Amino acid sequence: MASYDKAIESYKRAVTTAASLAASAMLVRGVVNELVPYEVRDLLFSGVGYLRSRMSSQHTVIIEETEGWTNNQLYDAVRTYLATRINTDMQRLRVSRVDETKSMMFSMEEGEEMADVHEGSEFRWRLVCRDNSSSSNGNGNGRGGNGNYRLEVRSFEMSFHKKHKDKALNSYLPHILATAKKIKDQDRTLKIYMNEGESWFAIDLHHPSTFTTLAMDHKQKQSVMDDLERFIKRKEYYKKIGKAWKRGYLLYGPPGTGKSSLIAAMANYLKFDVYDLELTEVNWNSTLRRLLIGMTNRSILVIEDIDCTLELQQREEGQESSKSNPSEDKVTLSGLLNFVDGLWSTSGEERIIVFTTNYKERLDPALLRPGRMDMHVHMGYCCPESFRILASNYHSIDNHATYPEIEELIKEVMVTPAEVAEVLMRNDDTDVALEGLIQFLKRKKDVGKEGKAENVEQVVKAEETEKGMMKKNDVPENQDPQDASK
């Protein structure tokens, strides 16, 4: 009982002392506010804050969502970066998805904290939201990049031990920026642009072609992939040798050999947007230049069927233009080459230029030399390896009893990957589809011996006609043929 009374007495003394100190502090603050000029007052308070910060072992960096009128890129980078480091066991999480093709994105809720370790040092993160409704509209604070006033201002607070300050500013934050850029490059939706007049118009590019699904000789495919990898890693090299950071590819071969699929695979592999330039829609070289300098970096410029576009075919020495008035030749070969390999080629960086043609021999030699079309890729007829890739794509099989016969026929018959794919798609039953391909290849082989050309559509029509005749003649003995036709 005596100990209990002593505890109560001690508690009362503590409360009395705290109240006395609080009253004294309020009294001192009131006297200071009344008697000390505000300039001196601010100096005293700033001095106290400085001493407190010097005595503390923790430093804090504030990263606000907006900076004046513009969005803070570092804030967006931190949000993207932390989404990959966040602990889903946290009590409160934000989950969002803005595109059905994307996965869910986790982010911190207001007031939650998380830790991240970089190069052996710990950095603690906290999301802070504050009400900005009382701020003045005229000071520029709390405004988003579109000029709209924000009632809520969000920021990330990064806290760390003061001995890690240099690492935080010179290593950790640059690491966050670089990592966030890689994440966004991988996750972003690719665009394909088409030209109309002097402007580009874009839609989302969802072409599923990849180097894995591309029906192409393995060595040739690997050669293209290695060339692309080497190109994107050589920024400093191109700068050192004094060349524009670009790479040209010529894809040539018969129709249906996968030229467009290869372009889509390149775009998906590099995460580059595609600019599909239709030269027949361009009237002047000046318009062509405006379109080309309007392209973004990390993009692929595609000019398909270059041999059929305007008058860019090979011209013999001394041969005059077919046009009677030279001024009417508005878009010229020299105008195109000036962007590909001239002064205008430096208007962008990390660009791929792709020309396609069915007839390489028709092109002007000026287009073909290294520095303009650096790598020539022949897209040939289907080979056994290409067939196996197509069979895997369409029927999810790696081997089948019919493979030896099919591969022998493919070696003897000039058939495009598009034709093989069309036959494989005709039936979901693997056995039926492969048997149909054998019959198609045999028919094509027989036609080839006779010196006639035949494509998949003709074979399909012939087979459908034959099946139709079989059904028409397949009438039960006790049934009238006219009733069967009904």
Side-chain angles (χ1 to χ4, degrees), residues 405-455:
E405 183 178 4
I406 292 175
E407 290 176 356
E408 285 300 319
L409 287 168
I410 284 179
K411 291 176 183 178
E412 300 176 16
V413 177
M414 289 191 300
V415 58
T416 66
E419 290 177 308
V420 174
E422 173 62 26
V423 176
L424 291 176
M425 289 178 64
R426 293 181 59 199
N427 201 299
D428 293 334
D429 188 299
T430 300
D431 296 335
V432 175
L434 293 176
E435 184 61 34
L437 179 59
I438 291 174
Q439 298 305 318
F440 167 76
L441 293 173
K442 286 181 176 180
R443 187 186 297 269
K444 198 170 182 67
K445 180 181 177 181
D446 293 339
V447 171
K449 289 180 179 180
E450 297 173 4
K452 299 178 182 178
E454 186 168 10
N455 57 28

Short mmCIF file of all heavy atoms in Angstrom, two decimals, residues 405-455:
data_model
loop_
_atom_site.label_atom_id
_atom_site.label_comp_id
_atom_site.label_asym_id
_atom_site.label_seq_id
_atom_site.Cartn_x
_atom_site.Cartn_y
_atom_site.Cartn_z
N GLU A 405 8.37 -37.13 -94.31
CA GLU A 405 7.81 -36.97 -95.65
C GLU A 405 7.61 -35.50 -95.99
O GLU A 405 7.92 -35.05 -97.10
CB GLU A 405 6.49 -37.74 -95.77
CG GLU A 405 5.88 -37.68 -97.16
CD GLU A 405 4.59 -38.48 -97.26
OE1 GLU A 405 4.14 -39.01 -96.21
OE2 GLU A 405 4.03 -38.57 -98.37
N ILE A 406 7.07 -34.74 -95.02
CA ILE A 406 6.82 -33.31 -95.26
C ILE A 406 8.13 -32.57 -95.52
O ILE A 406 8.23 -31.75 -96.45
CB ILE A 406 6.08 -32.69 -94.06
CG1 ILE A 406 4.65 -33.24 -93.98
CG2 ILE A 406 6.05 -31.17 -94.17
CD1 ILE A 406 3.88 -32.78 -92.76
N GLU A 407 9.16 -32.86 -94.73
CA GLU A 407 10.42 -32.15 -94.88
C GLU A 407 11.10 -32.48 -96.21
O GLU A 407 11.73 -31.62 -96.82
CB GLU A 407 11.33 -32.48 -93.70
CG GLU A 407 10.82 -31.86 -92.40
CD GLU A 407 11.66 -32.26 -91.19
OE1 GLU A 407 12.58 -33.08 -91.35
OE2 GLU A 407 11.39 -31.73 -90.09
N GLU A 408 10.97 -33.69 -96.69
CA GLU A 408 11.52 -34.05 -97.99
C GLU A 408 10.79 -33.31 -99.11
O GLU A 408 11.41 -32.83 -100.07
CB GLU A 408 11.42 -35.56 -98.22
CG GLU A 408 12.44 -36.37 -97.45
CD GLU A 408 13.86 -36.00 -97.80
OE1 GLU A 408 14.15 -35.79 -99.01
OE2 GLU A 408 14.70 -35.89 -96.87
N LEU A 409 9.47 -33.21 -98.98
CA LEU A 409 8.70 -32.47 -99.99
C LEU A 409 9.04 -30.99 -99.97
O LEU A 409 9.14 -30.35 -101.04
CB LEU A 409 7.20 -32.67 -99.72
CG LEU A 409 6.62 -34.05 -100.08
CD1 LEU A 409 5.21 -34.19 -99.50
CD2 LEU A 409 6.61 -34.24 -101.59
N ILE A 410 9.23 -30.41 -98.78
CA ILE A 410 9.55 -28.98 -98.68
C ILE A 410 10.89 -28.67 -99.33
O ILE A 410 11.09 -27.59 -99.90
CB ILE A 410 9.52 -28.55 -97.20
CG1 ILE A 410 8.07 -28.41 -96.72
CG2 ILE A 410 10.26 -27.23 -96.99
CD1 ILE A 410 7.91 -28.01 -95.28
N LYS A 411 11.83 -29.62 -99.26
CA LYS A 411 13.12 -29.42 -99.90
C LYS A 411 13.00 -29.38 -101.42
O LYS A 411 13.83 -28.78 -102.11
CB LYS A 411 14.09 -30.53 -99.50
CG LYS A 411 14.52 -30.49 -98.04
CD LYS A 411 15.41 -31.68 -97.71
CE LYS A 411 15.81 -31.69 -96.23
NZ LYS A 411 16.64 -32.88 -95.89
N GLU A 412 11.97 -30.02 -101.96
CA GLU A 412 11.80 -30.12 -103.41
C GLU A 412 10.86 -29.08 -103.98
O GLU A 412 10.89 -28.80 -105.18
CB GLU A 412 11.28 -31.51 -103.77
CG GLU A 412 12.19 -32.65 -103.35
CD GLU A 412 11.58 -34.02 -103.65
OE1 GLU A 412 10.63 -34.06 -104.45
OE2 GLU A 412 12.05 -35.02 -103.08
N VAL A 413 10.02 -28.48 -103.11
CA VAL A 413 8.97 -27.57 -103.58
C VAL A 413 9.24 -26.16 -103.07
O VAL A 413 9.61 -25.96 -101.92
CB VAL A 413 7.58 -28.05 -103.09
CG1 VAL A 413 6.50 -27.06 -103.52
CG2 VAL A 413 7.29 -29.43 -103.62
N MET A 414 9.06 -25.18 -103.94
CA MET A 414 9.18 -23.78 -103.53
C MET A 414 7.83 -23.35 -102.94
O MET A 414 6.89 -23.03 -103.67
CB MET A 414 9.57 -22.89 -104.71
CG MET A 414 11.01 -23.08 -105.17
SD MET A 414 11.56 -21.81 -106.34
CE MET A 414 10.38 -22.03 -107.67
N VAL A 415 7.77 -23.34 -101.62
CA VAL A 415 6.54 -22.98 -100.92
C VAL A 415 6.89 -21.95 -99.85
O VAL A 415 7.91 -22.06 -99.16
CB VAL A 415 5.87 -24.22 -100.30
CG1 VAL A 415 6.80 -24.92 -99.32
CG2 VAL A 415 4.56 -23.87 -99.63
N THR A 416 6.07 -20.94 -99.73
CA THR A 416 6.35 -19.87 -98.76
C THR A 416 5.82 -20.26 -97.38
O THR A 416 4.88 -21.06 -97.26
CB THR A 416 5.71 -18.55 -99.19
OG1 THR A 416 4.27 -18.69 -99.16
CG2 THR A 416 6.16 -18.15 -100.59
N PRO A 417 6.38 -19.68 -96.32
CA PRO A 417 5.84 -19.91 -94.97
C PRO A 417 4.37 -19.53 -94.87
O PRO A 417 3.62 -20.18 -94.14
CB PRO A 417 6.71 -19.03 -94.09
CG PRO A 417 8.01 -18.91 -94.82
CD PRO A 417 7.63 -18.89 -96.26
N ALA A 418 3.95 -18.51 -95.59
CA ALA A 418 2.54 -18.10 -95.54
C ALA A 418 1.63 -19.19 -96.10
O ALA A 418 0.53 -19.43 -95.57
CB ALA A 418 2.34 -16.80 -96.31
N GLU A 419 2.07 -19.87 -97.16
CA GLU A 419 1.27 -20.94 -97.74
C GLU A 419 1.17 -22.13 -96.78
O GLU A 419 0.10 -22.71 -96.60
CB GLU A 419 1.88 -21.38 -99.07
CG GLU A 419 1.75 -20.36 -100.18
CD GLU A 419 2.43 -20.80 -101.45
OE1 GLU A 419 3.62 -21.18 -101.38
OE2 GLU A 419 1.79 -20.78 -102.52
N VAL A 420 2.30 -22.49 -96.16
CA VAL A 420 2.29 -23.59 -95.20
C VAL A 420 1.39 -23.26 -94.02
O VAL A 420 0.59 -24.09 -93.56
CB VAL A 420 3.72 -23.91 -94.72
CG1 VAL A 420 3.71 -24.95 -93.61
CG2 VAL A 420 4.58 -24.38 -95.88
N ALA A 421 1.50 -22.03 -93.53
CA ALA A 421 0.67 -21.61 -92.39
C ALA A 421 -0.81 -21.68 -92.73
O ALA A 421 -1.63 -22.09 -91.91
CB ALA A 421 1.06 -20.20 -91.96
N GLU A 422 -1.16 -21.28 -93.94
CA GLU A 422 -2.57 -21.29 -94.34
C GLU A 422 -3.12 -22.71 -94.33
O GLU A 422 -4.24 -22.94 -93.86
CB GLU A 422 -2.70 -20.68 -95.74
CG GLU A 422 -4.08 -20.79 -96.35
CD GLU A 422 -5.15 -20.06 -95.55
OE1 GLU A 422 -4.81 -19.11 -94.83
OE2 GLU A 422 -6.32 -20.48 -95.64
N VAL A 423 -2.34 -23.69 -94.81
CA VAL A 423 -2.81 -25.07 -94.82
C VAL A 423 -2.92 -25.60 -93.39
O VAL A 423 -3.88 -26.30 -93.03
CB VAL A 423 -1.87 -25.95 -95.65
CG1 VAL A 423 -2.31 -27.42 -95.59
CG2 VAL A 423 -1.85 -25.48 -97.11
N LEU A 424 -1.96 -25.29 -92.54
CA LEU A 424 -1.98 -25.77 -91.15
C LEU A 424 -3.15 -25.19 -90.37
O LEU A 424 -3.63 -25.81 -89.42
CB LEU A 424 -0.67 -25.41 -90.46
CG LEU A 424 0.58 -26.15 -90.94
CD1 LEU A 424 1.82 -25.62 -90.22
CD2 LEU A 424 0.45 -27.66 -90.71
N MET A 425 -3.63 -24.03 -90.76
CA MET A 425 -4.73 -23.39 -90.04
C MET A 425 -6.10 -23.94 -90.45
O MET A 425 -7.09 -23.65 -89.79
CB MET A 425 -4.72 -21.87 -90.29
CG MET A 425 -3.57 -21.14 -89.63
SD MET A 425 -3.60 -19.37 -90.03
CE MET A 425 -5.15 -18.86 -89.27
N ARG A 426 -6.14 -24.72 -91.49
CA ARG A 426 -7.44 -25.15 -92.02
C ARG A 426 -8.15 -26.16 -91.15
O ARG A 426 -9.36 -26.33 -91.27
CB ARG A 426 -7.25 -25.72 -93.43
CG ARG A 426 -6.83 -24.69 -94.47
CD ARG A 426 -6.70 -25.32 -95.83
NE ARG A 426 -7.95 -25.93 -96.27
CZ ARG A 426 -8.06 -26.85 -97.22
NH1 ARG A 426 -6.96 -27.28 -97.82
NH2 ARG A 426 -9.22 -27.35 -97.55
N ASN A 427 -7.42 -26.83 -90.26
CA ASN A 427 -8.06 -27.84 -89.42
C ASN A 427 -7.38 -27.86 -88.06
O ASN A 427 -6.15 -27.81 -87.98
CB ASN A 427 -7.97 -29.22 -90.08
CG ASN A 427 -9.03 -30.17 -89.55
OD1 ASN A 427 -9.06 -30.48 -88.36
ND2 ASN A 427 -9.90 -30.65 -90.44
N ASP A 428 -8.18 -27.96 -86.99
CA ASP A 428 -7.63 -28.02 -85.64
C ASP A 428 -7.07 -29.39 -85.31
O ASP A 428 -6.29 -29.53 -84.37
CB ASP A 428 -8.70 -27.63 -84.61
CG ASP A 428 -9.11 -26.18 -84.73
OD1 ASP A 428 -8.30 -25.37 -85.21
OD2 ASP A 428 -10.26 -25.85 -84.34
N ASP A 429 -7.48 -30.41 -86.04
CA ASP A 429 -6.97 -31.75 -85.82
C ASP A 429 -5.57 -31.85 -86.45
O ASP A 429 -5.41 -31.68 -87.67
CB ASP A 429 -7.91 -32.78 -86.46
CG ASP A 429 -7.52 -34.21 -86.10
OD1 ASP A 429 -6.40 -34.62 -86.45
OD2 ASP A 429 -8.34 -34.91 -85.48
N THR A 430 -4.56 -32.13 -85.65
CA THR A 430 -3.18 -32.13 -86.12
C THR A 430 -2.97 -33.13 -87.24
O THR A 430 -2.34 -32.82 -88.26
CB THR A 430 -2.23 -32.44 -84.95
OG1 THR A 430 -2.40 -31.44 -83.94
CG2 THR A 430 -0.79 -32.44 -85.42
N ASP A 431 -3.48 -34.35 -87.08
CA ASP A 431 -3.29 -35.38 -88.10
C ASP A 431 -3.89 -34.96 -89.43
O ASP A 431 -3.28 -35.13 -90.50
CB ASP A 431 -3.90 -36.71 -87.64
CG ASP A 431 -3.20 -37.27 -86.41
OD1 ASP A 431 -2.01 -36.94 -86.22
OD2 ASP A 431 -3.83 -38.04 -85.66
N VAL A 432 -5.10 -34.41 -89.37
CA VAL A 432 -5.78 -33.98 -90.60
C VAL A 432 -5.03 -32.83 -91.25
O VAL A 432 -4.84 -32.79 -92.47
CB VAL A 432 -7.23 -33.58 -90.28
CG1 VAL A 432 -7.91 -33.01 -91.53
CG2 VAL A 432 -8.01 -34.77 -89.75
N ALA A 433 -4.57 -31.87 -90.44
CA ALA A 433 -3.87 -30.71 -90.97
C ALA A 433 -2.57 -31.12 -91.65
O ALA A 433 -2.23 -30.63 -92.75
CB ALA A 433 -3.60 -29.71 -89.85
N LEU A 434 -1.81 -32.01 -91.02
CA LEU A 434 -0.53 -32.44 -91.61
C LEU A 434 -0.74 -33.28 -92.86
O LEU A 434 0.03 -33.18 -93.83
CB LEU A 434 0.29 -33.20 -90.57
CG LEU A 434 0.78 -32.37 -89.38
CD1 LEU A 434 1.50 -33.25 -88.37
CD2 LEU A 434 1.71 -31.25 -89.86
N GLU A 435 -1.77 -34.10 -92.86
CA GLU A 435 -2.07 -34.88 -94.06
C GLU A 435 -2.49 -33.95 -95.20
O GLU A 435 -2.11 -34.15 -96.37
CB GLU A 435 -3.19 -35.88 -93.77
CG GLU A 435 -3.52 -36.80 -94.94
CD GLU A 435 -2.33 -37.65 -95.37
OE1 GLU A 435 -1.51 -38.05 -94.50
OE2 GLU A 435 -2.21 -37.91 -96.59
N GLY A 436 -3.23 -32.91 -94.85
CA GLY A 436 -3.61 -31.92 -95.86
C GLY A 436 -2.39 -31.20 -96.42
O GLY A 436 -2.34 -30.88 -97.62
N LEU A 437 -1.40 -30.92 -95.57
CA LEU A 437 -0.18 -30.28 -96.04
C LEU A 437 0.59 -31.19 -97.00
O LEU A 437 1.13 -30.72 -98.01
CB LEU A 437 0.70 -29.90 -94.84
CG LEU A 437 2.03 -29.22 -95.17
CD1 LEU A 437 1.82 -27.93 -95.94
CD2 LEU A 437 2.84 -28.95 -93.90
N ILE A 438 0.62 -32.48 -96.70
CA ILE A 438 1.29 -33.43 -97.60
C ILE A 438 0.64 -33.42 -98.97
O ILE A 438 1.32 -33.36 -100.01
CB ILE A 438 1.27 -34.86 -96.99
CG1 ILE A 438 2.18 -34.92 -95.75
CG2 ILE A 438 1.70 -35.89 -98.03
CD1 ILE A 438 2.10 -36.25 -95.02
N GLN A 439 -0.68 -33.48 -99.00
CA GLN A 439 -1.39 -33.47 -100.28
C GLN A 439 -1.15 -32.16 -101.02
O GLN A 439 -0.98 -32.16 -102.26
CB GLN A 439 -2.89 -33.68 -100.04
CG GLN A 439 -3.24 -35.01 -99.40
CD GLN A 439 -2.67 -36.19 -100.19
OE1 GLN A 439 -2.72 -36.22 -101.42
NE2 GLN A 439 -2.12 -37.18 -99.47
N PHE A 440 -1.13 -31.06 -100.28
CA PHE A 440 -0.87 -29.75 -100.91
C PHE A 440 0.52 -29.71 -101.54
O PHE A 440 0.70 -29.25 -102.67
CB PHE A 440 -1.03 -28.65 -99.87
CG PHE A 440 -0.50 -27.31 -100.31
CD1 PHE A 440 -1.21 -26.54 -101.21
CD2 PHE A 440 0.72 -26.83 -99.85
CE1 PHE A 440 -0.72 -25.31 -101.64
CE2 PHE A 440 1.21 -25.61 -100.26
CZ PHE A 440 0.49 -24.84 -101.16
N LEU A 441 1.53 -30.19 -100.80
CA LEU A 441 2.90 -30.18 -101.31
C LEU A 441 3.06 -31.10 -102.51
O LEU A 441 3.77 -30.77 -103.48
CB LEU A 441 3.87 -30.57 -100.19
CG LEU A 441 3.99 -29.58 -99.02
CD1 LEU A 441 4.86 -30.16 -97.90
CD2 LEU A 441 4.57 -28.24 -99.49
N LYS A 442 2.40 -32.26 -102.47
CA LYS A 442 2.48 -33.19 -103.62
C LYS A 442 1.85 -32.55 -104.85
O LYS A 442 2.37 -32.67 -105.97
CB LYS A 442 1.76 -34.50 -103.28
CG LYS A 442 2.53 -35.39 -102.31
CD LYS A 442 1.77 -36.69 -102.05
CE LYS A 442 2.57 -37.62 -101.15
NZ LYS A 442 1.86 -38.89 -100.88
N ARG A 443 0.70 -31.93 -104.67
CA ARG A 443 0.03 -31.28 -105.80
C ARG A 443 0.90 -30.16 -106.36
O ARG A 443 1.03 -30.01 -107.58
CB ARG A 443 -1.33 -30.74 -105.36
CG ARG A 443 -2.18 -30.21 -106.51
CD ARG A 443 -3.43 -29.57 -105.96
NE ARG A 443 -4.25 -30.54 -105.26
CZ ARG A 443 -5.22 -31.26 -105.83
NH1 ARG A 443 -5.46 -31.10 -107.12
NH2 ARG A 443 -5.92 -32.10 -105.14
N LYS A 444 1.51 -29.40 -105.45
CA LYS A 444 2.37 -28.29 -105.88
C LYS A 444 3.61 -28.83 -106.60
O LYS A 444 4.10 -28.23 -107.57
CB LYS A 444 2.78 -27.46 -104.67
CG LYS A 444 3.29 -26.06 -105.00
CD LYS A 444 3.44 -25.24 -103.73
CE LYS A 444 3.92 -23.83 -104.05
NZ LYS A 444 2.92 -23.03 -104.79
N LYS A 445 4.12 -29.97 -106.14
CA LYS A 445 5.27 -30.59 -106.80
C LYS A 445 4.92 -31.06 -108.20
O LYS A 445 5.68 -30.85 -109.16
CB LYS A 445 5.76 -31.78 -105.95
CG LYS A 445 6.95 -32.50 -106.54
CD LYS A 445 7.34 -33.67 -105.64
CE LYS A 445 8.51 -34.46 -106.25
NZ LYS A 445 8.89 -35.61 -105.38
N ASP A 446 3.74 -31.67 -108.34
CA ASP A 446 3.31 -32.13 -109.66
C ASP A 446 3.10 -30.97 -110.62
O ASP A 446 3.48 -31.03 -111.79
CB ASP A 446 2.02 -32.95 -109.54
CG ASP A 446 2.24 -34.25 -108.79
OD1 ASP A 446 3.40 -34.70 -108.72
OD2 ASP A 446 1.25 -34.80 -108.24
N VAL A 447 2.51 -29.90 -110.09
CA VAL A 447 2.28 -28.72 -110.92
C VAL A 447 3.60 -28.11 -111.33
O VAL A 447 3.78 -27.64 -112.47
CB VAL A 447 1.42 -27.68 -110.17
CG1 VAL A 447 1.35 -26.38 -110.95
CG2 VAL A 447 0.02 -28.24 -109.96
N GLY A 448 4.57 -28.11 -110.40
CA GLY A 448 5.89 -27.56 -110.72
C GLY A 448 6.58 -28.33 -111.82
O GLY A 448 7.27 -27.76 -112.66
N LYS A 449 6.40 -29.64 -111.85
CA LYS A 449 7.00 -30.46 -112.90
C LYS A 449 6.40 -30.11 -114.26
O LYS A 449 7.06 -30.22 -115.29
CB LYS A 449 6.78 -31.94 -112.61
CG LYS A 449 7.62 -32.46 -111.44
CD LYS A 449 7.35 -33.93 -111.21
CE LYS A 449 8.19 -34.47 -110.06
NZ LYS A 449 7.94 -35.91 -109.81
N GLU A 450 5.13 -29.70 -114.23
CA GLU A 450 4.46 -29.36 -115.49
C GLU A 450 4.77 -27.93 -115.92
O GLU A 450 4.31 -27.47 -116.97
CB GLU A 450 2.94 -29.52 -115.34
CG GLU A 450 2.54 -30.96 -115.05
CD GLU A 450 1.05 -31.07 -114.74
OE1 GLU A 450 0.36 -30.03 -114.83
OE2 GLU A 450 0.60 -32.17 -114.42
N GLY A 451 5.53 -27.22 -115.05
CA GLY A 451 5.92 -25.86 -115.41
C GLY A 451 4.85 -24.83 -115.18
O GLY A 451 4.86 -23.76 -115.78
N LYS A 452 3.88 -25.15 -114.33
CA LYS A 452 2.79 -24.23 -114.04
C LYS A 452 2.95 -23.67 -112.64
O LYS A 452 3.54 -24.29 -111.77
CB LYS A 452 1.43 -24.91 -114.15
CG LYS A 452 1.14 -25.47 -115.53
CD LYS A 452 -0.21 -26.17 -115.53
CE LYS A 452 -0.50 -26.77 -116.89
NZ LYS A 452 -1.79 -27.49 -116.90
N ALA A 453 2.42 -22.46 -112.43
CA ALA A 453 2.43 -21.85 -111.10
C ALA A 453 1.11 -22.10 -110.43
O ALA A 453 0.05 -22.05 -111.05
CB ALA A 453 2.68 -20.34 -111.21
N GLU A 454 1.18 -22.41 -109.14
CA GLU A 454 -0.05 -22.64 -108.40
C GLU A 454 0.18 -22.20 -106.96
O GLU A 454 1.21 -22.48 -106.37
CB GLU A 454 -0.42 -24.12 -108.44
CG GLU A 454 -1.76 -24.40 -107.81
CD GLU A 454 -2.24 -25.82 -108.11
OE1 GLU A 454 -1.46 -26.60 -108.65
OE2 GLU A 454 -3.40 -26.10 -107.79
N ASN A 455 -0.78 -21.49 -106.41
CA ASN A 455 -0.65 -21.04 -105.03
C ASN A 455 -1.63 -21.77 -104.14
O ASN A 455 -2.41 -22.61 -104.60
CB ASN A 455 -0.86 -19.52 -104.92
CG ASN A 455 -2.20 -19.08 -105.48
OD1 ASN A 455 -3.16 -19.84 -105.47
ND2 ASN A 455 -2.26 -17.85 -105.98
#
